[in-house]
Short mmCIF file of all heavy atoms in Angstrom, two decimals:
data_model
loop_
_atom_site.label_atom_id
_atom_site.label_comp_id
_atom_site.label_asym_id
_atom_site.label_seq_id
_atom_site.Cartn_x
_atom_site.Cartn_y
_atom_site.Cartn_z
N MET E 90 -26.00 149.07 -244.08
CA MET E 90 -25.49 147.99 -243.24
C MET E 90 -25.51 146.64 -243.96
O MET E 90 -24.62 145.81 -243.77
CB MET E 90 -26.31 147.90 -241.96
CG MET E 90 -25.97 146.73 -241.04
SD MET E 90 -24.33 146.91 -240.30
CE MET E 90 -24.35 145.54 -239.13
N ARG E 91 -26.49 146.43 -244.83
CA ARG E 91 -26.63 145.12 -245.48
C ARG E 91 -25.54 144.87 -246.52
O ARG E 91 -25.38 143.74 -246.97
CB ARG E 91 -28.01 144.99 -246.15
CG ARG E 91 -29.16 144.85 -245.17
CD ARG E 91 -29.10 143.55 -244.35
NE ARG E 91 -29.54 142.40 -245.09
CZ ARG E 91 -28.84 141.31 -245.34
NH1 ARG E 91 -27.60 141.22 -244.91
NH2 ARG E 91 -29.34 140.29 -246.00
N TRP E 115 -18.98 136.38 -232.83
CA TRP E 115 -19.41 137.75 -233.10
C TRP E 115 -20.42 138.15 -232.03
O TRP E 115 -21.52 137.62 -231.99
CB TRP E 115 -20.02 137.84 -234.49
CG TRP E 115 -20.57 139.19 -234.85
CD1 TRP E 115 -20.11 140.41 -234.43
CD2 TRP E 115 -21.70 139.47 -235.71
NE1 TRP E 115 -20.87 141.42 -234.97
CE2 TRP E 115 -21.84 140.87 -235.75
CE3 TRP E 115 -22.58 138.66 -236.43
CZ2 TRP E 115 -22.84 141.49 -236.51
CZ3 TRP E 115 -23.57 139.28 -237.18
CH2 TRP E 115 -23.69 140.67 -237.22
N VAL E 117 -23.08 140.64 -230.34
CA VAL E 117 -24.03 141.65 -230.80
C VAL E 117 -24.93 142.04 -229.63
O VAL E 117 -25.49 141.18 -228.95
CB VAL E 117 -24.90 141.11 -231.96
CG1 VAL E 117 -25.89 142.18 -232.40
CG2 VAL E 117 -24.03 140.67 -233.12
N TYR E 118 -25.08 143.34 -229.42
CA TYR E 118 -25.98 143.88 -228.40
C TYR E 118 -27.41 143.89 -228.95
O TYR E 118 -27.66 144.44 -230.02
CB TYR E 118 -25.55 145.29 -228.02
CG TYR E 118 -26.45 145.99 -227.03
CD1 TYR E 118 -26.31 145.78 -225.67
CD2 TYR E 118 -27.44 146.86 -227.48
CE1 TYR E 118 -27.13 146.43 -224.76
CE2 TYR E 118 -28.27 147.52 -226.58
CZ TYR E 118 -28.10 147.30 -225.22
OH TYR E 118 -28.93 147.95 -224.34
N GLU E 119 -28.32 143.27 -228.24
CA GLU E 119 -29.74 143.22 -228.63
C GLU E 119 -29.88 142.94 -230.13
O GLU E 119 -30.30 143.79 -230.91
CB GLU E 119 -30.45 144.52 -228.26
CG GLU E 119 -30.49 144.82 -226.77
CD GLU E 119 -31.47 143.95 -225.99
OE1 GLU E 119 -31.95 142.93 -226.54
OE2 GLU E 119 -31.74 144.27 -224.81
N PRO E 120 -29.54 141.72 -230.57
CA PRO E 120 -29.52 141.43 -232.01
C PRO E 120 -30.88 141.62 -232.68
O PRO E 120 -31.93 141.29 -232.12
CB PRO E 120 -29.10 139.96 -232.06
CG PRO E 120 -29.37 139.41 -230.69
CD PRO E 120 -29.18 140.55 -229.76
N THR E 121 -30.83 142.21 -233.89
CA THR E 121 -32.02 142.45 -234.70
C THR E 121 -32.10 141.42 -235.81
O THR E 121 -31.21 140.58 -235.98
CB THR E 121 -31.95 143.85 -235.32
OG1 THR E 121 -30.84 143.89 -236.23
CG2 THR E 121 -31.76 144.92 -234.25
N ALA E 122 -33.17 141.52 -236.62
CA ALA E 122 -33.32 140.63 -237.76
C ALA E 122 -32.16 140.81 -238.75
O ALA E 122 -31.70 139.84 -239.37
CB ALA E 122 -34.66 140.89 -238.46
N THR E 123 -31.65 142.04 -238.87
CA THR E 123 -30.51 142.29 -239.77
C THR E 123 -29.27 141.57 -239.27
O THR E 123 -28.55 140.93 -240.05
CB THR E 123 -30.24 143.80 -239.88
OG1 THR E 123 -31.38 144.45 -240.46
CG2 THR E 123 -29.01 144.07 -240.74
N HIS E 124 -29.00 141.66 -237.97
CA HIS E 124 -27.85 140.94 -237.41
C HIS E 124 -27.97 139.43 -237.65
O HIS E 124 -27.00 138.77 -238.03
CB HIS E 124 -27.74 141.20 -235.91
CG HIS E 124 -27.40 142.61 -235.55
ND1 HIS E 124 -28.22 143.39 -234.79
CD2 HIS E 124 -26.33 143.38 -235.88
CE1 HIS E 124 -27.66 144.59 -234.63
NE2 HIS E 124 -26.52 144.60 -235.29
N ARG E 125 -29.15 138.91 -237.42
CA ARG E 125 -29.35 137.46 -237.58
C ARG E 125 -29.17 137.04 -239.04
O ARG E 125 -28.61 135.98 -239.33
CB ARG E 125 -30.72 137.05 -237.06
CG ARG E 125 -30.89 137.30 -235.57
CD ARG E 125 -32.25 136.83 -235.04
NE ARG E 125 -32.47 137.28 -233.69
CZ ARG E 125 -31.92 136.74 -232.60
NH1 ARG E 125 -31.12 135.68 -232.74
NH2 ARG E 125 -32.16 137.23 -231.40
N ALA E 126 -29.62 137.89 -239.96
CA ALA E 126 -29.46 137.58 -241.39
C ALA E 126 -27.98 137.61 -241.78
O ALA E 126 -27.50 136.73 -242.50
CB ALA E 126 -30.26 138.57 -242.23
N LEU E 127 -27.24 138.62 -241.30
CA LEU E 127 -25.81 138.70 -241.60
C LEU E 127 -25.08 137.48 -241.05
O LEU E 127 -24.20 136.92 -241.71
CB LEU E 127 -25.22 139.97 -241.00
CG LEU E 127 -25.62 141.30 -241.64
CD1 LEU E 127 -25.02 142.46 -240.86
CD2 LEU E 127 -25.17 141.36 -243.09
N ALA E 128 -25.43 137.09 -239.84
CA ALA E 128 -24.78 135.93 -239.24
C ALA E 128 -25.07 134.67 -240.05
O ALA E 128 -24.17 133.87 -240.32
CB ALA E 128 -25.26 135.75 -237.80
N ALA E 129 -26.32 134.49 -240.45
CA ALA E 129 -26.68 133.30 -241.21
C ALA E 129 -25.95 133.25 -242.55
O ALA E 129 -25.47 132.19 -242.98
CB ALA E 129 -28.20 133.27 -241.43
N GLU E 130 -25.84 134.41 -243.22
CA GLU E 130 -25.14 134.45 -244.51
C GLU E 130 -23.65 134.12 -244.37
O GLU E 130 -23.03 133.61 -245.29
CB GLU E 130 -25.31 135.84 -245.12
CG GLU E 130 -26.73 136.12 -245.59
CD GLU E 130 -26.98 137.59 -245.89
OE1 GLU E 130 -25.98 138.36 -245.90
OE2 GLU E 130 -28.14 137.97 -246.10
N GLN E 135 -26.22 131.09 -233.60
CA GLN E 135 -26.21 131.71 -232.28
C GLN E 135 -25.77 130.72 -231.23
O GLN E 135 -26.27 129.59 -231.14
CB GLN E 135 -27.59 132.26 -231.92
CG GLN E 135 -27.59 133.02 -230.60
CD GLN E 135 -28.86 133.81 -230.35
OE1 GLN E 135 -29.60 134.12 -231.30
NE2 GLN E 135 -29.13 134.15 -229.10
N PHE E 304 -22.76 135.04 -232.05
CA PHE E 304 -22.94 134.19 -233.22
C PHE E 304 -21.58 133.60 -233.56
O PHE E 304 -20.59 134.33 -233.66
CB PHE E 304 -23.50 135.00 -234.38
CG PHE E 304 -24.86 135.57 -234.13
CD1 PHE E 304 -25.01 136.84 -233.58
CD2 PHE E 304 -25.99 134.83 -234.40
CE1 PHE E 304 -26.26 137.37 -233.33
CE2 PHE E 304 -27.26 135.34 -234.15
CZ PHE E 304 -27.40 136.61 -233.61
#
Side-chain angles (χ1 to χ4, degrees):
M90 175 68 172
R91 289 295 282 121
W115 177 32
V117 179
Y118 176 84
E119 297 287 13
T121 65
T123 297
H124 293 120
R125 297 183 190 283
L127 290 176
E130 290 166 9
Q135 184 168 340
F304 297 92

